[in-house]
Amino acid sequence: MVVYWEYAFIENFLLDGLILYLALKIARGKVRVWRLLLASAVGAAEAIVFPLFRVPVWSAYLLKVLGGILLCAVAVSGKRLKTYAVTACAFFAVTFALGGLLTAAYSFFGVEYQQGNGFLVERAPVALVFALAGIFAVVLLQSIKFFYRYGKLRCNLFECTLAHAGREVRWKGLADSGNLLQFRGKPVCVFSSRAAFALFGRNLKEAGRLEIGTVNGRRETPVFICERMKVGKETFENVFLAVGEVTGKEYQLILHTAFLEGKHETVAHAEGLAEKGGRERKRRSLPLRK
């Protein structure tokens, strides 16, 4: 059997780089290109050198585990031990998952393998390996994005109970730092027109109108007064609610930051973020001077 080390190096370099990239994304670590390239090169070198030595099976697995930990130590940047640990666990999990996928594909396409030495590289079509690895990476990246987006959303949801004129509803409220609406000097929460009928019935009495900005421009919307709103364990009286766009299926109410002080973030913090974003947008729009 003839093995061209340069081809084996390139193949392992690309696969190790892909697995390390996915592991860093799972651990939410910083992806630094030079570290990723260096770790991939170390992994490819390990894959070439390791078969040259004859070692017992138990020590072979131990060396492979230590080699994987070394790759993660090279790829991860920062001083947090948790990031290294999560990246290492994700690296081995992704390796096993991708290995299982390739094993199933090899079995399906009748690719031969030698017990103890892994699949023979020249017997496995390179296009098949990288096609499956690419599909696996895309699916996993989309799953990671969905998982973290859903987790972030769940962390920003609060149990809310609204009561008015004998009616009571229990909704999920979204903590949105972008909601800084004020009406008569008081904070305003946003709910949909359907939610307005559910809470107030047909006896809707406007407290006034408020101009709000949406993706479709600025428009006036009615504002109503709810007698009582409970967020978590705190209760607020005579809360202003404005009809607006509430598109999320997981929540029915967009909370003003003032109702979240001590729970999530303060109004001052949200205003600071908005002011910082405004300065950045203004700086980007300034013309460059020669």
Side-chain angles (χ1 to χ4, degrees):
M1 181 183 69
V2 178
V3 177
Y4 296 95
W5 70 267
E6 59 271 23
Y7 294 151
F9 181 88
I10 293 173
E11 183 176 355
N12 282 279
F13 177 86
L14 295 175
L15 288 177
D16 285 338
L18 178 63
I19 294 173
L20 285 168
Y21 177 78
L22 295 173
L24 287 170
K25 284 295 184 180
I26 293 174
R28 307 191 78 174
K30 291 183 179 179
V31 179
R32 298 193 181 278
V33 177
W34 72 270
R35 282 185 170 273
L36 189 62
L37 294 177
L38 179 59
S40 302
V42 173
E46 288 179 358
I48 294 175
V49 174
F50 183 78
L52 300 179
F53 299 93
R54 292 185 176 276
V55 293
V57 176
W58 67 269
S59 57
Y61 284 111
L62 178 61
L63 289 174
K64 288 181 179 180
V65 170
L66 293 176
I69 294 174
L70 175 62
L71 298 189
C72 295
V74 175
V76 175
S77 60
K79 299 180 179 180
R80 295 184 61 187
L81 182 61
K82 180 181 178 181
T83 305
Y84 287 89
V86 175
T87 303
C89 293
F91 175 80
F92 289 115
V94 173
T95 300
F96 291 143
L98 180 57
L101 176 64
L102 292 176
T103 301
Y106 290 165
S107 177
F108 179 80
F109 288 102
V111 178
E112 297 181 6
Y113 64 94
Q114 185 175 349
Q115 185 67 30
N117 292 329
F119 291 100
L120 302 180
V121 177
E122 70 273 14
R123 299 282 184 88
V126 177
L128 172 64
V129 174
F130 286 107
L132 290 174
I135 295 172
F136 175 82
V138 171
V139 173
L140 185 58
L141 284 173
Q142 292 301 319
S143 301
I144 293 170
K145 289 181 180 180
F146 173 80
F147 175 79
Y148 282 119
R149 191 185 303 119
Y150 181 76
K152 184 178 180 181
L153 176 64
R154 296 298 301 177
C155 290
N156 289 309
L157 294 180
F158 292 86
E159 293 286 347
C160 302
T161 303
L162 290 83
H164 184 85
R167 288 174 175 262
E168 184 176 286
V169 295
R170 289 186 176 87
W171 291 334
K172 294 283 187 180
L174 174 67
D176 186 359
S177 59
N179 180 13
L180 299 173
L181 294 174
Q182 298 279 337
F183 182 73
R184 298 177 184 173
K186 293 185 178 182
V188 179
C189 297
V190 179
F191 66 161
S192 65
S193 56
R194 179 179 296 182
F197 282 106
L199 177 60
F200 297 104
R202 296 185 178 276
N203 299 320
L204 293 171
K205 295 183 180 180
E206 295 184 12
R209 299 188 75 83
L210 175 68
E211 187 180 71
I212 62 175
T214 65
V215 292
N216 298 320
R218 302 191 67 84
R219 64 182 180 85
E220 282 194 347
T221 186
V223 179
F224 305 96
I225 299 178
C226 177
E227 293 178 355
R228 187 171 65 257
M229 182 177 73
K230 185 177 181 181
V231 181
K233 295 182 179 180
E234 293 192 32
T235 303
F236 304 91
E237 304 289 338
N238 298 322
V239 178
F240 287 121
L241 303 173
V243 175
E245 297 179 3
V246 182
T247 57
K249 296 180 180 180
E250 296 84 1
Y251 56 91
Q252 297 76 38
L253 186 69
I254 301 178
L255 297 170
H256 190 282
T257 53
F259 298 108
L260 306 170
E261 293 184 3
K263 300 184 184 66
H264 190 267
E265 57 186 321
T266 62
V267 179
H269 174 64
E271 290 176 341
L273 290 177
E275 183 179 354
K276 180 180 178 182
R279 288 199 302 268
E280 290 180 350
R281 287 192 295 271
K282 184 177 180 181
R283 186 172 64 252
R284 287 195 296 266
S285 63
L286 291 175
L288 296 175
R289 295 182 179 179
K290 296 184 178 179

